[in-house]
């Protein structure tokens, strides 16, 4: 019986440990930074829709969403500054002045 309980507990701890919930202030700030980053670094942004922030596999806070109905995932450093973004095909192009380095957001 013990041999079954220990692996089950380990699995439960692993699963629940990866689903860290963030407080409202952190959620609000992450969404604000994500919106600002996209608006200031990409051309032709007509609409931005964001999902709830979550903890990614590597431990950083992430927000998924769409810009003009095209998906993206943005990740943040611990201080909620921009870390990286992955985008789907046909995502809006970066602004010319923001291609080499991110523009102020």
């Amino acid at each position: 019986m013990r041999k079954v309980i220990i692996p089950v507990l380990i699995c439960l701890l692993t699963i629940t440990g990866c689903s860290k919930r963030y407080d409202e202030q952190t959620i609000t700030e992450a969404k604000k930074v994500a919106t600002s980053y996209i608006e200031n670094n990409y051309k032709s942004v007509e609409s931005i829709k964001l999902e709830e922030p979550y903890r990614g596999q590597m431990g950083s806070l992430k927000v998924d969403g769409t810009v003009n109905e095209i998906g993206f995932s943005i990740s943040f450093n611990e201080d909620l500054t921009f870390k990286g973004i992955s985008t789907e095909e046909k995502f809006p192009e970066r602004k010319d002045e923001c291609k080499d380095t991110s523009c102020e957001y």
Side-chain angles (χ1 to χ4, degrees), residues 51-67:
E51 297 177 12
E52 290 300 304
Y54 64 95
R55 183 177 176 204
Q57 290 179 339
M58 300 303 285
S60 64
L61 185 141
K62 298 183 87 166
V63 176
D64 294 339
T66 60
V67 171

Side-chain angles (χ1 to χ4, degrees), residues 9-28:
L9 286 174
I10 291 172
C11 287
L12 287 173
L13 289 173
T14 302
I15 291 170
T16 58
C18 293
S19 62
K20 178 180 178 184
R21 297 193 48 88
Y22 294 98
D23 62 61
E24 284 302 314
Q25 182 178 355
T26 302
I27 290 169
T28 301

Side-chain angles (χ1 to χ4, degrees), residues 50-86:
L50 301 173
E51 297 177 12
E52 290 300 304
Y54 64 95
R55 183 177 176 204
Q57 290 179 339
M58 300 303 285
S60 64
L61 185 141
K62 298 183 87 166
V63 176
D64 294 339
T66 60
V67 171
N68 307 343
E69 304 300 322
I70 302 166
F72 72 91
S73 182
I74 190 168
S75 57
F76 299 92
N77 294 307
E78 287 184 28
D79 62 355
L80 294 180
T81 55
F82 171 79
K83 184 174 187 176
I85 188 168
S86 60

Side-chain angles (χ1 to χ4, degrees), residues 1-8:
M1 183 70 168
R2 247 185 185 177
K3 292 179 181 180
V4 173
I5 292 175
I6 292 173
V8 169

